[in-house]
Amino acid sequence: MRLPADRCGTGHARHAMRSHQPPVAEPPAPPIVLTPLLACDPATDPDILWHIAREAPELRRWLVANPNADAALLEYVAQAGGPGVNVALTVLLEG
C-alpha cells in the first residue's frame, strides 16, 4: 500500500512545513551617533533632542540652534548648562 503524497513529505505537506517557518527579522538599526548636526537639525525627533539634553552636555549649545527646540527643552538646557550654553542662549535671545 502506498501512502498519499501528504504523508510522504512531498507535495502539499512539504509546502505547508515551509510556510510555518518563522519570518526572518530585520536587524536592529545601528545606534544613533550624537553630533552637533543631529542636535540642531529640525528633522531630529524630539525624543532624541531630549536624550541629547540629558546625556550629552557638550552638545546642549547646539540644541539652542534647533528651530524645533520647544520652551521646555530650552529651559532644561539653560538650567543644566554645559560648554557654550550661555553664549548660545545669549545669541538666541538677543538675535
Side-chain angles (χ1 to χ4, degrees), residues 4-79:
D6 290 35
R7 292 191 176 166
C8 293
T10 60
H12 182 60
R14 185 181 298 164
H15 176 71
M17 289 176 62
R18 275 184 285 191
S19 66
H20 287 32
Q21 294 176 351
V24 177
E26 292 293 320
I32 296 173
V33 178
L34 303 179
T35 64
L37 181 60
L38 183 69
C40 63
D41 183 353
T44 301
D45 185 90
D47 290 337
I48 295 172
L49 297 179
W50 275 100
H51 177 77
I52 291 170
R54 286 195 234 45
E55 304 296 329
E58 71 281 3
L59 296 177
R60 288 180 186 146
R61 67 178 150 194
W62 298 104
L63 293 171
V64 175
N66 190 319
N68 289 334
D70 63 12
L73 181 65
L74 293 176
E75 182 177 348
Y76 177 85
V77 168
Q79 291 178 7

